[in-house]
Structure formats: C-alpha cells, structure tokens
C-alpha cells in the first residue's frame, strides 16, 4: 500500500502540474475553448489508463501457470524500465517543463485547436499508463490484493489532485525539487523489489536458471544456479512471509524470506547502480542555473521547483 500510494501521489502530481500549466497558459490567452479540449484529452487519458489496468489485472486469467509467470516477469521488467526512465526524465524536464509545454501548445493551437486535446491526452496518458503498469507489478510482487493496491493508488492520485489545484491557485508552495528527488529515490527502492520479483517469475517460468528446474545435462559449472543450490537463503522460520514484518519488507524493499541468488544479485545491482546515479543527477540539476521563459503567475507557481 505504501508503494502504490507513493506512485499514485508522484505520478498524479506530475500529471496535475502538467495540466495546471496547460490550463494557465490557455486561460491567459483567453482560449476557454482550448481549456475544454484539454479536459477532453485528460478524460480520454484517464479512461485509457483504467482500461490498461483492467487488462493487466484480468487479461492473464485462463493461461497456463508457466505463461502467466513469463508474462508477469516480462511486464514487471517493463514496469521497472518505465519507472526508472520516468524518474530520470522528470529530473531533466522539471526545470524547463513549463516552456516546453507552452511551445507544444503554441503549435497545437493552430487550426481548429484539437491538437490541444492531443497534448493533454499524451501528457496525462504517459503518466497514467506508467502508473497502471507499476501498480500492477507492485501489487503482484507484494502479494497485495488488486483492489487494495488500486484504492491506495487512487488515494495518492486524489491527494495529488488537491495539491495540484492548490498549486494552480497559488494557495500552496512546496519545494518540488526536494519532493521529486526523494520520492524518486523511494520509487527506485520499490522498483528494485519489483525487479527481483520479475527475476523470480522468470525463474518459475523456466526462462532463467533457478531452484525450480534441474541443471541441463553436461553443465556442471552451472549446477549451483539450479535446484536447491540456487537459493540465497530460506528463513521463513525466522521471518514469517505472512507476518507483519515479512509483508512490510516485501511491500517496500522487495525482501522475501525465500530468495534465490539471482534475485539477490539483480536487486543489489539495480539498487547499487541506479540510486547513486539518480541522486548525483538530482543534486547536479539542483545546482544548475534555471532557464525558463516568462509564464503566467499561476503556471509559474505550478511549475516552479523553488
């Protein structure tokens, strides 16, 4: 629930900031017709995100166990890749996102203006699909009921919507640089757990060496990656998988009382490489001079990282 709440809050706030910048700009131009088209694009993006979540949740029913595990592992890897790209993308774009969106709107307002709906749709759909995929992967990795994961994510999105509205109205100012830095760091930790679980799924599907398959004939050098030797540790007698501590660790850092060597290696490598790179990029970006074109006060309040 913590992971899905955070992803809903962060992705929802990103989408809210984008929408607030778009609305502030078209309102400044006096284009109320364009504002209505932005909302149409946002509504279509939300509908697409809900459909994506439903397909992910119910689409694999009826498949064999091996197929379900293979698909689950592959989609979990996609979720990790998308979240990793997203946190780094937001670092790069946060300081100039307002000017980029306004440039897109200037082009979209030409002609009948329906390109504005496309800008709103693409901006929100990107966040929505990322949210649906990562929520699905996180709830699957932590054995959380899909409904619980969905409701906690919706709670985060609703909170983000309120924060976005307060920012748009100029009633709230928060340090968005700090927020996106540390929420991004937490998401990387959660993503490491999803990455480890993806490896576990692929091992159960027989696509990666693991304890669920015998070593291939004549491959004695690989024997330690198959069968019982493939386990890194098995301590369910110390930390119960369904206990409070076990559930908390699995839902946050991806720790399970039974993990294979390949899972542990994947988790450690992803975290050791991605987290330092993200923090270094974040602090470097914070020290870089801000270059932003003038914008309406409400849009500037929404886009500013202060």
């Amino acid at each position: 629930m913590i992971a899905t709440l955070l992803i809903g809050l962060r992705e929802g706030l990103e989408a809210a900031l984008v929408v607030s910048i778009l609305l502030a700009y078209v309102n400044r131009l006096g284009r109320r017709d364009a504002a209505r088209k932005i909302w149409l694009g946002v509504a279509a993006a939300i509908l697409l995100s809900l459909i994506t979540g439903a397909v992910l949740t119910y689409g694999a029913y009826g498949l064999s166990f091996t197929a379900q595990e293979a698909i689950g592992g592959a989609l979990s890897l996609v979720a990790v890749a998308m979240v990793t790209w997203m946190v780094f993308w937001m670092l790069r774009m946060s300081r100039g996102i307002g000017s980029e969106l306004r440039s897109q709107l200037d082009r979209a307002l030409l002609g009948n203006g329906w390109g504005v709906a496309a800008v709103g749709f693409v901006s929100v759909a990107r966040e929505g699909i990322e949210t649906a995929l990562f929520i699905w992967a996180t709830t699957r990795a932590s054995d959380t009921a899909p409904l619980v994961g969905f409701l906690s994510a919706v709670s985060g999105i609703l909170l983000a919507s309120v924060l976005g509205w307060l920012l748009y109205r100029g009633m709230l100012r928060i340090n968005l640089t700090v927020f996106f830095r540390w929420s991004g760091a937490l998401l990387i930790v959660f993503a490491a757990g999803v990455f480890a679980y993806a490896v576990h799924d692929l091992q159960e599907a027989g696509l990666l060496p693991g304890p669920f398959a015998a070593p291939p004939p004549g491959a004695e050098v690989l024997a330690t990656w198959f069968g019982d030797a493939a386990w890194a540790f098995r301590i369910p007698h110390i930390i119960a998988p369904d206990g409070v501590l076990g559930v908390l660790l699995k839902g946050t850092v991806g720790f399970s009382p039974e993990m294979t060597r390949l899972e542990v290696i994947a988790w450690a490598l992803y975290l050791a490489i991605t987290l330092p790179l993200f923090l270094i990029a974040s602090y470097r970006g914070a020290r870089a001079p801000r270059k932003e074109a003038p914008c309406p006060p409400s849009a500037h309040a929404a886009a500013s990282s202060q």
Side-chain angles (χ1 to χ4, degrees):
M1 290 181 65
I2 295 173
T4 53
L5 177 67
L6 178 62
I7 190 67
L9 175 60
R10 182 190 167 95
E11 294 286 294
L13 186 55
E14 287 183 20
L17 291 172
V18 168
V19 173
S20 66
I21 293 171
L22 296 176
L23 291 175
Y25 190 59
V26 297
N27 286 336
R28 182 192 183 194
L29 298 177
R31 294 291 304 271
R32 294 188 177 275
D33 61 314
R36 290 192 293 270
K37 291 171 182 176
I38 289 173
W39 282 117
L40 284 175
V42 170
I46 293 174
L47 179 61
L48 176 62
S49 302
L50 291 174
I51 292 173
T52 301
V55 170
L56 289 171
T57 302
Y58 302 108
Y61 288 167
L63 298 177
S64 67
F65 173 79
T66 299
Q68 288 188 36
E69 296 304 298
I71 292 173
L75 289 178
S76 294
L77 291 178
V78 172
V80 171
M82 290 184 69
V83 168
T84 305
W85 173 83
M86 177 266 294
V87 295
F88 280 95
W89 176 86
M90 195 60 191
L91 280 183
R92 187 176 67 254
M93 296 300 298
S94 60
R95 302 181 66 80
I97 192 170
S99 58
E100 177 174 330
L101 286 172
R102 290 193 296 277
S103 297
Q104 292 181 18
L105 273 181
D106 287 337
R107 294 190 297 270
L109 286 169
L110 299 175
N112 57 20
W114 278 105
V116 173
V119 174
F121 172 80
V122 171
S123 300
V124 176
R126 180 182 60 243
E127 311 294 345
I129 293 174
E130 287 175 356
T131 301
L133 185 56
F134 195 64
I135 288 172
W136 174 83
T138 302
T139 53
R140 178 182 171 86
S142 60
D143 293 329
T144 304
L147 181 59
V148 174
F150 174 76
L151 291 178
S152 60
V154 168
S155 300
I157 293 171
L158 291 176
L159 177 58
S161 300
V162 172
L163 292 176
W165 182 81
L166 292 174
L167 288 168
Y168 174 75
R169 302 298 298 178
M171 300 168 63
L172 177 68
R173 295 180 67 84
I174 61 176
N175 192 321
L176 295 176
T177 298
V178 174
F179 171 81
F180 284 123
R181 175 186 299 147
W182 295 113
S183 64
L186 283 175
L187 284 178
I188 287 173
V189 173
F190 296 148
V194 174
F195 187 32
Y197 193 79
V199 171
H200 184 88
D201 274 353
L202 295 176
Q203 287 178 311
E204 288 192 320
L207 299 177
L208 289 176
F212 314 105
E220 291 79 6
V221 69
L222 298 176
T224 56
W225 297 96
F226 291 88
D228 288 341
W231 291 105
F233 51 80
R234 306 183 76 179
I235 53 172
H237 56 288
I238 299 176
I239 301 178
D242 55 352
V244 174
L245 180 59
V247 171
L248 181 62
L249 291 174
K250 189 170 186 179
T252 53
V253 299
F255 172 86
S256 174
E258 295 184 313
M259 295 185 71
T260 67
R261 296 166 62 190
L262 201 56
E263 282 183 85
V264 174
I265 291 172
W267 180 88
L269 282 178
Y270 174 85
L271 206 55
I273 295 171
T274 309
L275 187 57
L277 288 176
F278 174 78
L279 292 176
I280 291 171
S282 175
Y283 282 105
R284 283 180 177 173
R287 291 194 297 267
R290 184 182 180 86
K291 296 181 179 180
E292 179 78 38
C295 61
S298 54
H300 182 75
S304 174
S305 60
Q306 302 178 25

